[in-house]
Amino acid sequence: MTSAKQPDQRKSVDSRQKGRRENDASPLHFPALTDIPGWLQFFRQLTYMRYLVVSVTALAVDMGLFLLLLQMGIESMSASAVGYSVGIFVHWFLSSRKVFQDRVSQRGTAERTQQKAMFVMSALLGLATTTAIVGTGEWAGFDARIAKLVAIAVSFQLTYLLRNVLIFRTSRTA
């Protein structure tokens, strides 16, 4: 990539960031109850709502694979780890393109590599939390699916805080 293109790309990223911050910070104007396109636009503007949609998608992948592996006879902690790991890949892919796209560092930079590494570390922390909760729950006599639901709630909050506050913080690109 030539250096002449980098300022143009940076300008494009800066305008996306400004627009996203303005959308998220602007006062909420609720559309009419029957205005479906208006509601879709409203929810698209909210970072937490975008994160929630991405998380539900990644969770569907995680849970689907977890249940499939349980059905195949894989032990619960391993099934939980595999499901979570694949779900994390889906989460990075969607988060970096649909949720935090205005806060993702330029491709090919040390800062982008650092963001990816930190995202993986947050995922590993979430994975450790998930497998520990599922393992402890099963050891305590709870159904693995119930333990997995508890793990989902705890891991979701932990990883969201890490990603929103540390990994994709606004000051990285401001």
Side-chain angles (χ1 to χ4, degrees):
M1 179 180 293
T2 65
S3 61
K5 287 186 179 183
Q6 287 176 341
D8 290 339
Q9 286 178 343
R10 184 70 202 164
K11 186 176 182 180
S12 174
V13 169
D14 288 342
S15 67
R16 273 197 330 248
Q17 290 168 351
K18 182 181 178 198
R20 181 69 67 197
R21 283 191 293 265
E22 286 173 358
N23 284 339
D24 284 347
S26 65
L28 298 177
H29 299 287
F30 296 102
L33 188 59
T34 58
D35 180 13
I36 302 299
W39 280 105
L40 291 174
Q41 179 62 29
F42 172 78
F43 286 122
R44 261 182 266 162
Q45 292 175 353
L46 302 174
T47 299
Y48 191 80
M49 291 304 295
R50 291 189 312 268
Y51 188 83
L52 182 61
V53 169
V54 164
S55 295
V56 168
T57 302
L59 174 60
V61 171
D62 175 356
M63 282 299 288
L65 189 54
F66 171 71
L67 293 172
L68 176 68
L69 293 173
L70 281 180
Q71 190 72 18
M72 294 171 57
I74 305 295
E75 66 98 24
S76 64
M77 285 181 66
S78 296
S80 179
V82 171
Y84 187 87
S85 297
V86 174
I88 282 302
F89 173 78
V90 169
H91 210 298
W92 164 261
F93 184 81
L94 295 174
S95 288
S96 64
R97 286 158 180 80
K98 299 295 180 190
V99 179
F100 302 113
Q101 74 276 13
D102 56 330
R103 296 191 255 166
V104 174
S105 297
Q106 289 278 349
R107 288 183 183 188
T109 64
E111 194 171 59
R112 174 76 172 243
T113 301
Q114 182 183 10
Q115 279 183 324
K116 287 180 179 179
M118 290 172 68
F119 192 92
V120 169
M121 286 188 282
S122 73
L124 292 175
L125 186 56
L127 174 61
T129 301
T130 297
T131 54
I133 290 171
V134 169
T136 301
E138 193 172 45
W139 173 81
F142 292 100
D143 184 286
R145 292 168 288 227
I146 301 298
K148 179 68 173 178
L149 291 174
V150 171
I152 289 165
V154 173
S155 180
F156 173 83
Q157 292 303 322
L158 174 65
T159 57
Y160 176 75
L161 287 172
L162 289 171
R163 291 168 187 165
N164 193 46
V165 174
L166 295 176
I167 299 168
F168 296 110
R169 67 181 182 257
T170 304
S171 62
R172 271 191 193 284
T173 57

